[in-house]
Amino acid sequence: MSGHPKHLPADERRAATVEAVVGLAGEQNPSDITTTAIAQRMGLTQGALFRHFPSKDAILEAVMSWVAERLLARVDEAAEGATSPIAALEAVFMTHIDFVSDHPGVPRMLFGELQRPGETLPKRMAQTLIRHYGERLRCLLEAGKAQGELRAGLDLDAAATLFIGTIQGLVMQSMLAGDVARIRSDAPGVFAIYLRGIGTVQ
């Protein structure tokens, strides 16, 4: 039981449901999460849960929406506070790492949705999140090229793909090690190597 009050406004109940699912995803295989488990985590009946969400997929859609809004907002804030494109890239990288460390269930859900066969709305939402994230990265990388911080011939698409893939690799290794916290200690050194690959030749 999570101690959520039984009587909450609809918006708060939906937010509490998302919180419960993200928490459960950090503890078990997201595909094994049932509406019964979600309701139990919240101290509710399944009937009460389904008054706010018509199906499990609707719950997953709400989770994907929450992830996209929170992650992109934090990434945008980190980039806006940086003094240069390279500083912005590093801030975005570390902010993403912090987000994953704070919410270890999120990458497990994203990986799970992207591996589901066929087209589902949660899967499309995960794909859209990755696309929007990539667009932000390409803007920062283009600015870095324009200001002479990055290689003039840098392949922006490849650099953006590598940026995201590097974070995904760190996440996978931390999950395999069963130690999500290690991602924070590994990230600075890994980003430094990434930056050496895209920066101007010294």
Side-chain angles (χ1 to χ4, degrees):
M1 300 291 183
S2 65
H4 290 297
K6 291 185 179 295
H7 302 290
L8 289 174
D11 287 348
E12 290 184 33
R13 176 65 71 207
R14 284 190 284 270
T17 304
V18 168
E19 176 188 318
V21 174
V22 171
L24 286 167
E27 301 165 8
Q28 65 184 84
N29 185 335
S31 65
D32 293 337
I33 297 173
T34 63
T35 52
T36 299
I38 298 168
Q40 287 177 344
R41 172 64 70 98
M42 299 176 68
L44 299 174
T45 64
Q46 282 194 76
L49 184 62
F50 284 125
R51 280 198 290 273
H52 300 284
F53 295 95
S55 66
K56 183 179 177 182
D57 268 353
I59 296 173
L60 293 176
E61 290 163 20
V63 172
M64 289 299 138
S65 178
W66 180 91
V67 169
E69 290 174 6
R70 297 300 190 286
L71 177 58
L72 293 179
R74 285 175 64 165
V75 161
D76 288 342
E77 183 179 358
E80 288 168 6
T83 56
S84 71
I86 282 182
L89 286 169
E90 183 173 9
V92 167
F93 192 92
M94 298 308 171
T95 294
H96 193 153
I97 293 296
D98 285 342
F99 185 83
V100 169
S101 187
D102 291 341
H103 307 289
V106 166
R108 298 179 71 175
M109 294 196 70
L110 286 173
F111 288 144
E113 285 305 315
L114 292 172
Q115 292 178 67
R116 286 176 69 179
E119 283 296 319
T120 65
L121 182 54
K123 182 176 181 178
R124 289 198 299 273
M125 293 172 76
Q127 292 168 334
T128 298
L129 166 60
I130 292 173
R131 186 173 68 253
H132 288 171
Y133 194 111
E135 290 168 356
R136 285 162 165 78
L137 291 175
R138 282 187 285 276
C139 286
L140 292 175
L141 292 163
E142 183 63 64
K145 285 175 61 174
Q147 295 184 28
E149 290 187 332
L150 303 179
R151 297 174 186 272
L154 180 66
D155 183 328
L156 300 181
D157 288 336
T161 297
L162 181 59
F163 185 103
I164 295 172
T166 300
I167 293 175
Q168 290 172 335
L170 283 168
V171 170
M172 290 298 293
Q173 290 187 55
S174 70
M175 289 168 62
L176 287 169
D179 181 13
V180 176
R182 67 175 281 181
I183 195 171
R184 277 194 169 111
S185 59
D186 291 345
V190 171
F191 180 80
I193 293 173
Y194 170 78
L195 189 57
R196 285 179 62 185
I198 66 172
T200 55
V201 178
Q202 300 298 317

